[in-house]
Amino acid sequence: MTDELTLEERALRHAEATDILPMLEAELAARLAGPQTMTGACRRLCIRPGFDLGLYDITLTGEMPDGGEISAGLTVTVLLEGAGQSWVRQPGRAASRPIPYAGGMTYFCFCQEAVTGGMRLPRRSRFRAAELRMDLDFLRGLGLLEPLAGAGRGHPLTHIALDSVWIGLLPTPERLATVAAMLSRLPSTRPEGDLVLERGALDMLFTCAGLIRQPPVLAGPAPRDLEALHQARALLSARPEEPWTIAALAREAGLTEKRLKLGFRQRFGVTVNRFLQQVRLRTAHRMITEDGASITEAALAVGYANPSHFAFLFRREYGAPPSQVARAGAATPAPPDRPLAGSGAPHAGGVISGSTGRRSGSRTARTAR
């Protein structure tokens, strides 16, 4: 990763020209308070009219702004690396429950009409993803519009089902992960690379269409365990400094250890230990950047007796050691466990807010941070 943001938005070199979309640079300026708030690379390529491939490898360096609009259509995000959460909001409704982000997961966001959404990423963490965007006309032509509109709560992949929004998620199938990883590494300098991009995008589309039409049956937590699982999550969030063990948490939540471990991963998309680590590091980040706590004070306050181990985990999570964050002064606070009412950021259906549509020509930009 560099201290620059590289933007690329164009149609494939061998594709027919179509109408121009709003540029990535303009979207970033509107959604992220300017390209200076992230580093890395954002690429968006028109594969067919109404069908785009996005490739993102970014690190957030500035504040998260208010959320943006999610246009009607389907976005499929294969998250190769990253953490955080997102949410959606229909007009006149409260925000949905969070959608947890974790590397190795795939997310479907289908909207029958425009809605708003937001996303929170840990500052200085890496977010690497391959993303498909399809508008309603393209979905209709593939015969996917009807199964998506009827997905609802009964679909095995459902995480959220609202009046006009369906969110599905699942651990990324091996074939989809392989293709997404290959595309994320592919350079954009060679003309023949566009053929590989097209083939990869169509391969991802074929796999995703199969997951929508004939989804795998994913085991979920038993309904009787849901309240206890949310209680376990709340306990970790409220008391991260405690020396939690699976046995102790299971006992307090009223679950067996097996049901806690399996159900927590199924319900929240992250293991118990990983969630506790995220809460601890977010709390420590806030203490260092907002309360002026020393690194040792923050480490001990959230349950890390070894400051060196704490510093290692902190750097891995945020991309910078706690000493550097402390020297920077009042930095951007780490994201909350749940979105606050009225808060927002880029949308849940993708890394960069914006509509799926038609475009022509080529547009690239390189912005120094």
Side-chain angles (χ1 to χ4, degrees):
M1 302 295 290
T2 70
D3 60 354
E4 292 183 335
L5 176 66
T6 301
L7 308 177
E8 179 183 10
E9 184 176 45
R10 61 180 175 82
L12 297 179
R13 293 178 176 93
H14 58 275
E16 294 184 6
T18 54
D19 297 336
I20 295 177
L21 259 185
M23 297 302 172
L24 267 174
E25 190 171 7
E27 289 185 12
L28 286 168
R31 311 301 185 194
L32 296 173
Q36 71 274 12
T37 58
M38 61 169 62
T39 63
C42 297
R43 303 172 64 190
R44 189 186 298 165
L45 303 143
C46 180
I47 306 300
R48 298 280 193 281
F51 174 38
D52 292 349
L53 168 68
L55 299 170
Y56 307 110
D57 190 350
I58 59 173
T59 297
L60 194 72
T61 59
E63 291 191 20
M64 298 293 289
D66 288 339
E69 181 178 279
I70 310 172
S71 297
L74 172 67
T75 302
V76 182
T77 304
V78 180
L79 186 54
L80 299 167
E81 182 177 350
Q85 63 182 8
S86 63
W87 59 96
V88 293
R89 181 184 291 111
Q90 294 183 142
R93 301 286 187 88
S96 71
R97 63 188 176 94
I99 305 156
Y101 279 164
M105 297 292 290
T106 293
Y107 303 84
F108 297 81
C109 177
F110 172 67
C111 305
Q112 300 186 61
E113 61 181 2
V115 298
T116 58
M119 179 170 68
R120 292 288 181 189
L121 307 180
R123 190 171 184 268
R124 298 300 306 174
S125 66
R126 191 177 182 185
F127 196 95
R128 189 164 60 96
E131 181 177 277
L132 304 181
R133 294 187 181 193
M134 291 150 273
D135 66 18
L136 295 179
D137 288 340
F138 186 82
L139 294 170
R140 187 177 292 108
L142 289 179
L144 286 176
L145 189 56
E146 184 175 348
L148 281 167
R153 298 185 181 278
H155 197 280
L157 306 186
T158 298
H159 179 70
I160 292 172
L162 306 175
D163 292 341
S164 59
V165 182
W166 175 76
I167 305 291
L169 57 82
L170 80 162
T172 303
E174 182 178 357
R175 178 174 180 80
L176 194 57
T178 299
V179 176
M182 179 274 294
L183 292 176
S184 73
R185 296 190 299 265
L186 192 68
S188 60
T189 54
R190 296 179 300 174
E192 62 270 24
D194 277 14
L195 295 173
V196 181
L197 288 166
E198 182 178 41
R199 183 187 66 187
L202 293 174
D203 195 342
M204 288 180 63
L205 174 60
F206 180 81
T207 301
C208 292
L211 290 171
I212 293 167
R213 290 192 176 107
Q214 294 181 314
V217 178
L218 303 178
R224 69 178 186 277
D225 290 345
L226 292 180
E227 184 176 351
L229 289 169
H230 281 273
Q231 181 184 354
R233 188 177 189 270
L235 287 168
L236 296 177
S237 298
R239 292 148 49 190
E241 72 284 354
E242 292 195 16
W244 288 108
T245 64
I246 294 295
L249 184 61
R251 189 163 51 250
E252 284 217 33
L255 293 167
T256 66
E257 294 182 36
K258 181 178 180 180
R259 283 159 56 197
L260 171 65
K261 290 191 292 185
L262 181 60
F264 201 96
R265 180 70 175 86
Q266 292 170 336
R267 185 64 173 170
F268 304 118
V270 66
T271 65
V272 172
N273 289 331
R274 174 60 178 150
F275 179 79
L276 176 59
Q277 183 183 96
Q278 289 175 332
V279 173
R280 285 175 167 173
L281 293 175
R282 278 195 290 262
T283 303
H285 190 290
R286 284 193 289 267
M287 292 181 64
I288 293 170
T289 59
E290 298 179 17
D291 302 336
S294 70
I295 295 168
T296 300
E297 288 172 338
L300 293 174
V302 298
Y304 291 108
N306 186 334
S308 296
H309 181 59
F310 164 73
F312 168 76
L313 295 175
F314 190 100
R315 179 168 188 152
R316 187 174 65 179
E317 185 77 11
Y318 295 108
S323 57
Q324 180 178 327
V325 172
R327 286 195 301 270
T332 303
D337 293 334
R338 285 182 174 270
L340 302 176
S343 65
H347 70 74
V351 179
I352 306 299
S353 294
S355 57
T356 301
R358 296 164 171 76
R359 87 201 49 197
S360 67
S362 173
R363 167 82 172 181
T364 60
R366 192 174 190 86
T367 307
R369 183 170 66 88

CSV table of all heavy atoms in Angstrom, one decimal, residues 192-245:
chain,number,residue,atom,x,y,z
A,192,GLU,N,-4.5,-7.3,-23.1
A,192,GLU,CA,-5.1,-8.6,-23.0
A,192,GLU,C,-5.6,-8.9,-21.6
A,192,GLU,O,-6.4,-9.9,-21.4
A,192,GLU,CB,-4.0,-9.7,-23.4
A,192,GLU,CG,-2.8,-9.7,-22.5
A,192,GLU,CD,-1.7,-8.8,-22.9
A,192,GLU,OE1,-1.9,-7.8,-23.6
A,192,GLU,OE2,-0.5,-9.1,-22.6
A,193,GLY,N,-5.2,-8.1,-20.6
A,193,GLY,CA,-5.7,-8.3,-19.3
A,193,GLY,C,-7.2,-8.1,-19.2
A,193,GLY,O,-7.9,-8.6,-18.3
A,194,ASP,N,-7.8,-7.3,-20.1
A,194,ASP,CA,-9.2,-7.0,-20.1
A,194,ASP,C,-10.0,-8.3,-20.4
A,194,ASP,O,-11.1,-8.5,-19.9
A,194,ASP,CB,-9.6,-5.9,-21.1
A,194,ASP,CG,-9.4,-4.5,-20.5
A,194,ASP,OD1,-8.7,-4.4,-19.5
A,194,ASP,OD2,-9.9,-3.6,-21.1
A,195,LEU,N,-9.4,-9.2,-21.2
A,195,LEU,CA,-10.1,-10.4,-21.5
A,195,LEU,C,-10.1,-11.3,-20.3
A,195,LEU,O,-11.1,-12.0,-20.0
A,195,LEU,CB,-9.4,-11.2,-22.7
A,195,LEU,CG,-9.4,-10.5,-24.0
A,195,LEU,CD1,-8.5,-11.2,-25.0
A,195,LEU,CD2,-10.8,-10.4,-24.5
A,196,VAL,N,-9.1,-11.3,-19.5
A,196,VAL,CA,-9.0,-12.0,-18.2
A,196,VAL,C,-10.0,-11.4,-17.2
A,196,VAL,O,-10.7,-12.2,-16.5
A,196,VAL,CB,-7.6,-12.0,-17.6
A,196,VAL,CG1,-7.6,-12.8,-16.4
A,196,VAL,CG2,-6.6,-12.6,-18.6
A,197,LEU,N,-10.1,-10.1,-17.2
A,197,LEU,CA,-11.1,-9.4,-16.3
A,197,LEU,C,-12.5,-9.8,-16.7
A,197,LEU,O,-13.3,-10.1,-15.8
A,197,LEU,CB,-10.9,-7.9,-16.4
A,197,LEU,CG,-9.7,-7.4,-15.7
A,197,LEU,CD1,-9.4,-5.9,-16.1
A,197,LEU,CD2,-9.8,-7.4,-14.2
A,198,GLU,N,-12.8,-9.8,-18.0
A,198,GLU,CA,-14.1,-10.2,-18.4
A,198,GLU,C,-14.5,-11.6,-18.1
A,198,GLU,O,-15.5,-11.9,-17.6
A,198,GLU,CB,-14.2,-10.0,-19.9
A,198,GLU,CG,-15.6,-10.3,-20.5
A,198,GLU,CD,-15.7,-10.0,-22.0
A,198,GLU,OE1,-14.7,-10.3,-22.7
A,198,GLU,OE2,-16.7,-9.4,-22.4
A,199,ARG,N,-13.5,-12.5,-18.4
A,199,ARG,CA,-13.7,-13.9,-18.1
A,199,ARG,C,-14.0,-14.1,-16.6
A,199,ARG,O,-14.9,-14.9,-16.2
A,199,ARG,CB,-12.6,-14.8,-18.6
A,199,ARG,CG,-12.7,-16.3,-18.4
A,199,ARG,CD,-11.5,-17.0,-18.7
A,199,ARG,NE,-10.4,-16.7,-17.8
A,199,ARG,CZ,-9.1,-17.1,-17.9
A,199,ARG,NH1,-8.8,-17.9,-18.9
A,199,ARG,NH2,-8.2,-16.8,-17.0
A,200,GLY,N,-13.1,-13.5,-15.8
A,200,GLY,CA,-13.3,-13.6,-14.3
A,200,GLY,C,-14.6,-13.1,-13.8
A,200,GLY,O,-15.2,-13.7,-12.9
A,201,ALA,N,-15.0,-11.9,-14.3
A,201,ALA,CA,-16.3,-11.3,-13.9
A,201,ALA,C,-17.4,-12.2,-14.2
A,201,ALA,O,-18.4,-12.4,-13.5
A,201,ALA,CB,-16.4,-10.0,-14.5
A,202,LEU,N,-17.4,-12.8,-15.4
A,202,LEU,CA,-18.5,-13.7,-15.9
A,202,LEU,C,-18.5,-15.0,-15.1
A,202,LEU,O,-19.5,-15.6,-14.8
A,202,LEU,CB,-18.4,-14.0,-17.4
A,202,LEU,CG,-18.6,-12.8,-18.3
A,202,LEU,CD1,-18.3,-13.2,-19.7
A,202,LEU,CD2,-20.0,-12.3,-18.2
A,203,ASP,N,-17.3,-15.5,-14.7
A,203,ASP,CA,-17.2,-16.7,-13.9
A,203,ASP,C,-17.8,-16.4,-12.5
A,203,ASP,O,-18.6,-17.2,-12.0
A,203,ASP,CB,-15.7,-17.1,-13.7
A,203,ASP,CG,-15.5,-18.5,-13.2
A,203,ASP,OD1,-16.5,-19.0,-12.6
A,203,ASP,OD2,-14.4,-19.0,-13.4
A,204,MET,N,-17.5,-15.2,-11.9
A,204,MET,CA,-18.1,-14.9,-10.6
A,204,MET,C,-19.6,-14.7,-10.7
A,204,MET,O,-20.3,-15.2,-9.9
A,204,MET,CB,-17.5,-13.5,-10.1
A,204,MET,CG,-16.0,-13.6,-9.7
A,204,MET,SD,-15.4,-12.0,-9.1
A,204,MET,CE,-16.5,-11.7,-7.7
A,205,LEU,N,-20.1,-14.1,-11.8
A,205,LEU,CA,-21.5,-14.0,-12.0
A,205,LEU,C,-22.2,-15.3,-12.1
A,205,LEU,O,-23.3,-15.5,-11.5
A,205,LEU,CB,-21.7,-13.2,-13.3
A,205,LEU,CG,-23.2,-13.0,-13.7
A,205,LEU,CD1,-24.0,-12.3,-12.7
A,205,LEU,CD2,-23.3,-12.2,-15.1
A,206,PHE,N,-21.6,-16.3,-12.8
A,206,PHE,CA,-22.2,-17.6,-13.0
A,206,PHE,C,-22.3,-18.3,-11.6
A,206,PHE,O,-23.4,-18.9,-11.3
A,206,PHE,CB,-21.4,-18.4,-13.9
A,206,PHE,CG,-21.9,-19.8,-14.2
A,206,PHE,CD1,-22.9,-20.1,-15.1
A,206,PHE,CD2,-21.3,-20.9,-13.5
A,206,PHE,CE1,-23.4,-21.3,-15.2
A,206,PHE,CE2,-21.8,-22.2,-13.6
A,206,PHE,CZ,-22.8,-22.4,-14.5
A,207,THR,N,-21.2,-18.2,-10.8
A,207,THR,CA,-21.3,-18.8,-9.5
A,207,THR,C,-22.3,-18.1,-8.6
A,207,THR,O,-23.0,-18.8,-7.9
A,207,THR,CB,-19.9,-18.7,-8.8
A,207,THR,OG1,-18.9,-19.3,-9.7
A,207,THR,CG2,-19.8,-19.3,-7.5
A,208,CYS,N,-22.4,-16.8,-8.6
A,208,CYS,CA,-23.3,-16.1,-7.8
A,208,CYS,C,-24.7,-16.3,-8.2
A,208,CYS,O,-25.6,-16.5,-7.3
A,208,CYS,CB,-23.0,-14.6,-7.8
A,208,CYS,SG,-21.4,-14.1,-7.0
A,209,ALA,N,-25.0,-16.4,-9.5
A,209,ALA,CA,-26.4,-16.8,-9.9
A,209,ALA,C,-26.8,-18.1,-9.4
A,209,ALA,O,-27.9,-18.3,-9.0
A,209,ALA,CB,-26.4,-16.7,-11.5
A,210,GLY,N,-25.9,-19.1,-9.4
A,210,GLY,CA,-26.2,-20.4,-8.9
A,210,GLY,C,-26.5,-20.3,-7.4
A,210,GLY,O,-27.4,-21.1,-6.9
A,211,LEU,N,-25.7,-19.5,-6.6
A,211,LEU,CA,-26.0,-19.4,-5.2
A,211,LEU,C,-27.3,-18.8,-4.9
A,211,LEU,O,-28.0,-19.1,-3.9
A,211,LEU,CB,-24.9,-18.5,-4.6
A,211,LEU,CG,-23.5,-19.1,-4.5
A,211,LEU,CD1,-22.5,-18.1,-4.1
A,211,LEU,CD2,-23.4,-20.3,-3.6
A,212,ILE,N,-27.8,-17.9,-5.8
A,212,ILE,CA,-29.1,-17.3,-5.6
A,212,ILE,C,-30.2,-18.2,-5.9
A,212,ILE,O,-31.2,-18.4,-5.2
A,212,ILE,CB,-29.2,-16.0,-6.4
A,212,ILE,CG1,-28.2,-14.9,-5.9
A,212,ILE,CG2,-30.6,-15.5,-6.5
A,212,ILE,CD1,-28.1,-13.8,-6.9
A,213,ARG,N,-30.1,-18.9,-7.0
A,213,ARG,CA,-31.1,-19.8,-7.5
A,213,ARG,C,-31.2,-21.1,-6.7
A,213,ARG,O,-32.2,-21.6,-6.4
A,213,ARG,CB,-30.9,-20.2,-9.0
A,213,ARG,CG,-31.1,-19.0,-9.9
A,213,ARG,CD,-31.2,-19.5,-11.4
A,213,ARG,NE,-31.5,-18.5,-12.3
A,213,ARG,CZ,-30.6,-17.9,-13.2
A,213,ARG,NH1,-29.4,-18.3,-13.2
A,213,ARG,NH2,-31.0,-17.0,-14.0
A,214,GLN,N,-30.0,-21.7,-6.4
A,214,GLN,CA,-29.9,-22.9,-5.6
A,214,GLN,C,-28.9,-22.8,-4.5
A,214,GLN,O,-27.8,-23.3,-4.5
A,214,GLN,CB,-29.5,-24.1,-6.5
A,214,GLN,CG,-30.6,-24.4,-7.6
A,214,GLN,CD,-30.1,-25.6,-8.5
A,214,GLN,OE1,-29.0,-25.7,-8.9
A,214,GLN,NE2,-31.1,-26.5,-8.7
A,215,PRO,N,-29.3,-22.0,-3.5
A,215,PRO,CA,-28.4,-21.7,-2.4
A,215,PRO,C,-28.0,-23.0,-1.6
A,215,PRO,O,-28.9,-23.9,-1.4
A,215,PRO,CB,-29.1,-20.7,-1.6
A,215,PRO,CG,-30.6,-21.0,-1.8
A,215,PRO,CD,-30.7,-21.5,-3.2
A,216,PRO,N,-26.8,-23.0,-1.1
A,216,PRO,CA,-26.5,-24.1,-0.1
A,216,PRO,C,-27.3,-23.9,1.2
A,216,PRO,O,-27.6,-22.8,1.6
A,216,PRO,CB,-25.0,-23.9,0.2
A,216,PRO,CG,-24.8,-22.4,-0.1
A,216,PRO,CD,-25.7,-22.1,-1.2
A,217,VAL,N,-27.6,-25.0,1.8
A,217,VAL,CA,-28.4,-24.9,3.1
A,217,VAL,C,-27.4,-24.7,4.2
A,217,VAL,O,-26.6,-25.6,4.5
A,217,VAL,CB,-29.2,-26.2,3.3
A,217,VAL,CG1,-29.9,-26.1,4.6
A,217,VAL,CG2,-30.2,-26.4,2.2
A,218,LEU,N,-27.3,-23.5,4.7
A,218,LEU,CA,-26.4,-23.2,5.8
A,218,LEU,C,-27.0,-23.4,7.1
A,218,LEU,O,-28.1,-22.9,7.4
A,218,LEU,CB,-25.9,-21.7,5.6
A,218,LEU,CG,-25.3,-21.3,4.3
A,218,LEU,CD1,-25.0,-19.8,4.3
A,218,LEU,CD2,-24.1,-22.2,4.0
A,219,ALA,N,-26.4,-24.1,8.0
A,219,ALA,CA,-26.9,-24.3,9.3
A,219,ALA,C,-26.8,-23.0,10.1
A,219,ALA,O,-25.8,-22.3,10.0
A,219,ALA,CB,-26.1,-25.4,10.0
A,220,GLY,N,-27.9,-22.7,10.8
A,220,GLY,CA,-27.9,-21.5,11.6
A,220,GLY,C,-28.1,-21.9,13.1
A,220,GLY,O,-28.5,-23.0,13.4
A,221,PRO,N,-27.9,-20.9,14.0
A,221,PRO,CA,-28.2,-21.2,15.4
A,221,PRO,C,-29.7,-21.5,15.6
A,221,PRO,O,-30.6,-21.0,14.9
A,221,PRO,CB,-27.8,-19.9,16.1
A,221,PRO,CG,-27.9,-18.8,15.0
A,221,PRO,CD,-27.5,-19.5,13.7
A,222,ALA,N,-29.9,-22.3,16.6
A,222,ALA,CA,-31.3,-22.7,16.9
A,222,ALA,C,-32.0,-21.4,17.4
A,222,ALA,O,-31.4,-20.6,18.1
A,222,ALA,CB,-31.3,-23.7,18.0
A,223,PRO,N,-33.3,-21.2,17.0
A,223,PRO,CA,-34.1,-20.0,17.5
A,223,PRO,C,-34.0,-19.8,19.0
A,223,PRO,O,-33.9,-18.7,19.5
A,223,PRO,CB,-35.5,-20.3,17.0
A,223,PRO,CG,-35.3,-21.3,15.8
A,223,PRO,CD,-34.1,-22.1,16.2
A,224,ARG,N,-34.0,-20.9,19.8
A,224,ARG,CA,-33.9,-20.8,21.2
A,224,ARG,C,-32.6,-20.2,21.7
A,224,ARG,O,-32.6,-19.7,22.9
A,224,ARG,CB,-34.2,-22.1,21.9
A,224,ARG,CG,-33.0,-23.1,21.7
A,224,ARG,CD,-33.2,-24.4,22.4
A,224,ARG,NE,-32.1,-25.3,22.4
A,224,ARG,CZ,-31.8,-26.1,21.4
A,224,ARG,NH1,-32.6,-26.2,20.3
A,224,ARG,NH2,-30.7,-26.9,21.4
A,225,ASP,N,-31.6,-20.2,20.9
A,225,ASP,CA,-30.3,-19.7,21.3
A,225,ASP,C,-30.0,-18.2,20.9
A,225,ASP,O,-29.1,-17.6,21.3
A,225,ASP,CB,-29.2,-20.5,20.6
A,225,ASP,CG,-29.1,-21.9,21.2
A,225,ASP,OD1,-29.7,-22.1,22.3
A,225,ASP,OD2,-28.4,-22.8,20.6
A,226,LEU,N,-30.9,-17.6,20.1
A,226,LEU,CA,-30.7,-16.3,19.5
A,226,LEU,C,-30.5,-15.3,20.6
A,226,LEU,O,-29.6,-14.4,20.6
A,226,LEU,CB,-31.8,-15.9,18.6
A,226,LEU,CG,-31.8,-16.7,17.3
A,226,LEU,CD1,-32.9,-16.2,16.4
A,226,LEU,CD2,-30.5,-16.6,16.5
A,227,GLU,N,-31.4,-15.3,21.6
A,227,GLU,CA,-31.4,-14.2,22.6
A,227,GLU,C,-30.1,-14.4,23.5
A,227,GLU,O,-29.4,-13.4,23.8
A,227,GLU,CB,-32.6,-14.4,23.6
A,227,GLU,CG,-32.7,-13.3,24.6
A,227,GLU,CD,-33.9,-13.4,25.5
A,227,GLU,OE1,-34.8,-14.1,25.1
A,227,GLU,OE2,-34.0,-12.7,26.5
A,228,ALA,N,-29.7,-15.6,23.8
A,228,ALA,CA,-28.5,-15.9,24.5
A,228,ALA,C,-27.3,-15.5,23.8
A,228,ALA,O,-26.3,-15.0,24.4
A,228,ALA,CB,-28.4,-17.4,24.9
A,229,LEU,N,-27.3,-15.7,22.5
A,229,LEU,CA,-26.1,-15.3,21.7
A,229,LEU,C,-26.0,-13.7,21.6
A,229,LEU,O,-24.8,-13.2,21.7
A,229,LEU,CB,-26.3,-15.8,20.2
A,229,LEU,CG,-26.1,-17.3,20.1
A,229,LEU,CD1,-26.5,-17.7,18.7
A,229,LEU,CD2,-24.7,-17.7,20.3
A,230,HIS,N,-27.1,-13.0,21.5
A,230,HIS,CA,-27.0,-11.6,21.6
A,230,HIS,C,-26.6,-11.1,23.0
A,230,HIS,O,-25.9,-10.1,23.1
A,230,HIS,CB,-28.3,-11.0,21.2
A,230,HIS,CG,-28.6,-10.9,19.7
A,230,HIS,ND1,-28.1,-9.9,18.9
A,230,HIS,CD2,-29.1,-11.8,18.9
A,230,HIS,CE1,-28.4,-10.2,17.7
A,230,HIS,NE2,-29.0,-11.3,17.6
A,231,GLN,N,-27.0,-11.8,24.0
A,231,GLN,CA,-26.6,-11.5,25.4
A,231,GLN,C,-25.0,-11.7,25.5
A,231,GLN,O,-24.4,-10.9,26.1
A,231,GLN,CB,-27.3,-12.3,26.4
A,231,GLN,CG,-26.9,-12.0,27.8
A,231,GLN,CD,-27.5,-13.0,28.8
A,231,GLN,OE1,-28.4,-13.8,28.5
A,231,GLN,NE2,-27.1,-12.8,30.1
A,232,ALA,N,-24.5,-12.8,24.9
A,232,ALA,CA,-23.1,-13.0,25.0
A,232,ALA,C,-22.3,-11.9,24.3
A,232,ALA,O,-21.3,-11.4,24.8
A,232,ALA,CB,-22.8,-14.4,24.3
A,233,ARG,N,-22.8,-11.5,23.1
A,233,ARG,CA,-22.2,-10.4,22.4
A,233,ARG,C,-22.2,-9.1,23.2
A,233,ARG,O,-21.2,-8.3,23.3
A,233,ARG,CB,-22.9,-10.2,21.1
A,233,ARG,CG,-22.2,-9.2,20.1
A,233,ARG,CD,-23.1,-9.2,18.8
A,233,ARG,NE,-22.4,-8.4,17.8
A,233,ARG,CZ,-22.5,-7.1,17.6
A,233,ARG,NH1,-23.3,-6.4,18.4
A,233,ARG,NH2,-21.9,-6.5,16.6
A,234,ALA,N,-23.3,-8.8,23.9
A,234,ALA,CA,-23.4,-7.6,24.7
A,234,ALA,C,-22.5,-7.7,25.9
A,234,ALA,O,-21.9,-6.6,26.3
A,234,ALA,CB,-24.9,-7.4,25.2
A,235,LEU,N,-22.3,-8.8,26.5
A,235,LEU,CA,-21.4,-9.0,27.6
A,235,LEU,C,-20.0,-8.7,27.2
A,235,LEU,O,-19.2,-8.0,27.9
A,235,LEU,CB,-21.5,-10.4,28.2
A,235,LEU,CG,-22.7,-10.8,29.0
A,235,LEU,CD1,-22.8,-12.3,29.2
A,235,LEU,CD2,-22.8,-10.0,30.3
A,236,LEU,N,-19.6,-9.2,26.1
A,236,LEU,CA,-18.2,-8.9,25.6
A,236,LEU,C,-18.0,-7.4,25.3
A,236,LEU,O,-17.0,-6.8,25.6
A,236,LEU,CB,-17.9,-9.7,24.3
A,236,LEU,CG,-17.9,-11.2,24.5
A,236,LEU,CD1,-17.7,-11.8,23.1
A,236,LEU,CD2,-16.8,-11.6,25.4
A,237,SER,N,-19.1,-6.8,24.7
A,237,SER,CA,-19.0,-5.3,24.4
A,237,SER,C,-18.9,-4.5,25.7
A,237,SER,O,-18.2,-3.5,25.7
A,237,SER,CB,-20.2,-4.9,23.6
A,237,SER,OG,-20.2,-5.6,22.3
A,238,ALA,N,-19.7,-4.9,26.7
A,238,ALA,CA,-19.8,-4.1,27.9
A,238,ALA,C,-18.6,-4.3,28.9
A,238,ALA,O,-18.2,-3.4,29.6
A,238,ALA,CB,-21.1,-4.4,28.7
A,239,ARG,N,-18.0,-5.5,28.8
A,239,ARG,CA,-16.9,-5.8,29.8
A,239,ARG,C,-15.7,-6.5,29.1
A,239,ARG,O,-15.3,-7.6,29.4
A,239,ARG,CB,-17.5,-6.7,30.9
A,239,ARG,CG,-18.5,-6.1,31.8
A,239,ARG,CD,-19.6,-7.0,32.3
A,239,ARG,NE,-19.1,-8.3,32.9
A,239,ARG,CZ,-19.8,-9.3,33.2
A,239,ARG,NH1,-21.1,-9.2,33.0
A,239,ARG,NH2,-19.3,-10.4,33.7
A,240,PRO,N,-15.1,-5.7,28.1
A,240,PRO,CA,-14.0,-6.4,27.4
A,240,PRO,C,-12.8,-6.6,28.2
A,240,PRO,O,-11.9,-7.4,27.8
A,240,PRO,CB,-13.8,-5.3,26.3
A,240,PRO,CG,-14.2,-4.0,26.9
A,240,PRO,CD,-15.4,-4.4,27.7
A,241,GLU,N,-12.7,-5.9,29.3
A,241,GLU,CA,-11.4,-6.0,30.1
A,241,GLU,C,-11.4,-7.3,30.9
A,241,GLU,O,-10.3,-7.7,31.4
A,241,GLU,CB,-11.3,-4.8,31.1
A,241,GLU,CG,-12.3,-4.9,32.3
A,241,GLU,CD,-13.7,-4.5,31.9
A,241,GLU,OE1,-14.0,-4.0,30.7
A,241,GLU,OE2,-14.6,-4.6,32.8
A,242,GLU,N,-12.5,-8.0,31.0
A,242,GLU,CA,-12.5,-9.3,31.8
A,242,GLU,C,-11.7,-10.4,31.1
A,242,GLU,O,-11.7,-10.4,29.9
A,242,GLU,CB,-13.9,-9.7,32.1
A,242,GLU,CG,-14.7,-8.8,33.0
A,242,GLU,CD,-15.9,-9.4,33.6
A,242,GLU,OE1,-16.1,-10.6,33.5
A,242,GLU,OE2,-16.8,-8.7,34.1
A,243,PRO,N,-11.1,-11.3,31.8
A,243,PRO,CA,-10.4,-12.4,31.2
A,243,PRO,C,-11.4,-13.5,30.8
A,243,PRO,O,-11.4,-14.6,31.3
A,243,PRO,CB,-9.5,-12.9,32.4
A,243,PRO,CG,-10.3,-12.6,33.6
A,243,PRO,CD,-11.0,-11.3,33.3
A,244,TRP,N,-12.1,-13.2,29.7
A,244,TRP,CA,-13.2,-14.1,29.3
A,244,TRP,C,-12.6,-15.4,28.8
A,244,TRP,O,-11.6,-15.4,28.1
A,244,TRP,CB,-14.0,-13.4,28.2
A,244,TRP,CG,-14.9,-12.3,28.6
A,244,TRP,CD1,-14.8,-11.0,28.4
A,244,TRP,CD2,-16.1,-12.5,29.3
A,244,TRP,NE1,-15.8,-10.3,28.9
A,244,TRP,CE2,-16.7,-11.2,29.5
A,244,TRP,CE3,-16.8,-13.6,29.9
A,244,TRP,CZ2,-17.8,-10.9,30.2
A,244,TRP,CZ3,-18.0,-13.3,30.5
A,244,TRP,CH2,-18.5,-12.0,30.7
A,245,THR,N,-13.3,-16.5,29.1
A,245,THR,CA,-13.0,-17.8,28.4
A,245,THR,C,-14.3,-18.2,27.8
A,245,THR,O,-15.4,-17.7,28.2
A,245,THR,CB,-12.6,-18.8,29.5
A,245,THR,OG1,-13.6,-19.0,30.4
A,245,THR,CG2,-11.3,-18.4,30.2
